Amino acid sequence: MNWSAAGAVALALGVILGAFGAHELRGRLDAYLMSVYEKAVFYHFIHALGTLTVSLMAKTGAITESAAGWVCGLLLAGIAVFCGSLYALALTGYLGLGAITPIGGLSFIAGWLVLAWALVKK
């Protein structure tokens, strides 16, 4: 998989979702749900940048392509589950969606730990 392209697409989606929140959701969501949405956008951006950075680390030889694949896969899964559940929670107001958010958080943590392991191993 082309993880650099995946990171770039994730960044573009972050811009789109951030703009949607700023222009379409202001005034429609209460302060709590708006803060949830903004938290999703923030984590989305941080981990999309991480995906792009890690993919470039593999190209420079800092880590193996295999390790980069694991890290990028975990970071993108975290974006889908953590951020996706927060986006959905903010848009629907259904607080039950927050129950799956920690799974995405664990995916983020695992991704960063795999990166640390790959860097130490190299």
Side-chain angles (χ1 to χ4, degrees), residues 1-115:
M1 174 159 206
N2 186 334
W3 295 111
S4 296
V9 168
L11 285 164
L13 287 172
V15 172
I16 292 166
L17 291 167
F20 175 75
H23 298 290
E24 295 299 322
L25 298 180
R26 289 264 181 235
R28 294 183 186 198
L29 299 181
D30 64 24
Y32 171 72
L33 292 177
M34 195 66 206
S35 73
V36 168
Y37 192 89
E38 289 169 346
K39 183 75 68 187
V41 171
F42 176 76
Y43 276 83
H44 185 140
F45 267 108
I46 294 299
H47 292 88
L49 281 170
T51 301
L52 185 60
T53 302
V54 169
S55 70
L56 296 175
M57 290 172 79
K59 293 181 186 330
T60 66
I63 60 173
T64 66
E65 288 286 338
S66 176
W70 276 99
V71 175
C72 291
L74 286 164
L75 295 180
L76 290 174
I79 291 171
V81 177
F82 182 89
C83 301
S85 66
L86 291 181
Y87 289 133
L89 187 157
L91 294 171
T92 66
Y94 178 63
L95 298 178
L97 289 167
I100 64 168
T101 305
I103 297 167
L106 288 173
S107 184
F108 287 150
I109 293 166
W112 294 122
L113 289 175
V114 170
L115 175 60

